Amino acid sequence: MTETLLKPLKAGLIGAGIQASLTPAMHMREGAAQGLTYEYELIDLTQRGASPDDLPQLLREAEQRGLCGLNITHPCKQLVIPFLDELSDEARDLGAVNTVVLKAGRRIGHNTDWWGFAEGFRRGLPGVALSHAVQLGAGGAGVATAYAILSMGLTSLTVFDREIERAEALVSSMSPLFPQAHIVAGTDLPSAMRAADGLLHATPTGMAKYPGLPLPAELLEPHHWVAEVVYFPLETELLTEARRCGCKTLDGGGMAVFQAVGAFRLFTGCEPDAARMLAHFKALTA
């Protein structure tokens, strides 16, 4: 048995209101299947009465307690960056970190969200047209989904957000990275949807706290594909409506699982079994 398998590993997730997260269960179940002694804990700012201002102390505590890594979620993905020693190219491009490897006294920031979405998309919507897509939402999830779909070769992306400035900021950050693509902030959603092959949904609408549809159902047409980032619940109103009118659909589970696949690999140095992690996720959300 290798030294990696013999060494007990600890990791954690920092964020606010994360008690319902499935990430610990996914990591620890895969760790157990690989023969690892692997603990994964929640570091919930809300439960602790803490705030993002406490990030420096939380990082120091994690290092002192020997954690091998930390996942980072809302509202800390951008705020953690000043306290890191190094960033992967993707984390630097995205300006957001969801995975921090703690190794040899250094803190190395990565972003597995974009890869998680891309891998889920490749598997769940193989062969769909990638000429023009509409994206709803330009926050943290929206930056990751835009980067992912443009990395996959999308040629035209129209971004909508309730705050037009946020959509414009996403366009400004993505355009230099993908100069071959036409990326714009949208102002006319019906027209954009008529011209689109598909829809990327990257807002909280559809979550238990924010029920409803992120756009009028009549804008969905049978030729559209629809990719969702919300995974709690896995079956959102958007996906129900999209399937009702004949769209190909992708739920948010793939992004949730594959970002964990990427983080597990970084934390443990072991290759995770993605199919096993997908099956476990489906069992957890059944």
Side-chain angles (χ1 to χ4, degrees), residues 13-257:
L13 171 66
I14 294 179
I18 54 175
Q19 292 303 306
S21 175
L22 301 180
T23 300
M26 284 194 285
H27 276 257
M28 289 192 291
R29 173 70 71 88
E30 181 59 19
Q34 298 218 18
L36 300 175
T37 302
Y38 185 27
E39 298 176 13
Y40 191 108
E41 65 186 66
L42 293 177
I43 304 171
D44 191 333
L45 300 181
T46 303
Q47 193 177 64
R48 290 184 174 215
S51 78
D53 292 338
D54 297 302
L55 274 171
Q57 178 61 29
L58 294 174
L59 290 167
R60 283 193 297 271
E61 288 178 3
E63 289 171 323
Q64 290 164 0
R65 293 192 293 114
L67 270 67
C68 63
L70 292 163
N71 281 127
I72 309 293
T73 191
H74 178 80
C76 302
K77 290 184 181 183
Q78 287 89 17
L79 298 174
V80 75
I81 290 175
F83 309 113
L84 305 180
D85 298 302
E86 185 181 336
L87 294 178
S88 70
D89 291 342
E90 293 85 358
R92 186 176 298 106
D93 286 345
L94 289 161
V97 163
N98 80 315
T99 303
V100 177
V101 174
L102 303 172
K103 188 175 183 180
R106 292 179 62 77
R107 305 165 179 174
I108 305 167
H110 299 263
N111 190 301
T112 66
D113 281 335
W114 79 271
W115 179 83
F117 180 81
E119 191 65 17
F121 193 100
R122 289 188 193 100
R123 293 177 182 230
L125 290 173
V128 296
L130 291 176
S131 176
H132 178 216
V134 166
Q135 176 167 299
L136 304 180
V143 173
T145 55
Y147 188 92
I149 202 74
L150 290 162
S151 296
M152 295 172 69
L154 184 76
T155 55
S156 179
L157 179 66
T158 305
V159 182
F160 291 84
D161 194 277
R162 289 180 180 177
E163 301 174 26
I164 185 66
E165 297 82 6
R166 194 155 66 163
E168 290 170 345
L170 189 152
V171 171
S172 296
S173 66
M174 290 295 121
S175 293
L177 300 175
F178 302 97
Q180 76 284 1
H182 181 62
I183 311 169
V184 297
T187 56
D188 185 344
L189 183 57
S191 293
M193 286 297 293
R194 283 194 294 271
D197 299 313
L199 174 71
L200 299 157
H201 177 233
T203 84
T205 303
M207 294 175 66
K209 292 182 180 178
Y210 308 100
L213 288 169
L215 81 171
E218 59 266 24
L219 298 184
L220 296 170
E221 299 179 18
H223 73 272
H224 288 139
W225 49 261
V226 175
E228 175 72 272
V229 299
V230 172
Y231 71 89
F232 201 74
L234 205 55
E235 177 68 14
T236 63
E237 292 182 52
L238 173 61
L239 292 180
T240 299
E241 286 295 332
R243 275 195 288 273
R244 184 173 292 139
C245 68
C247 302
K248 292 181 178 179
T249 61
L250 177 70
D251 65 45
M255 183 178 185
V257 172

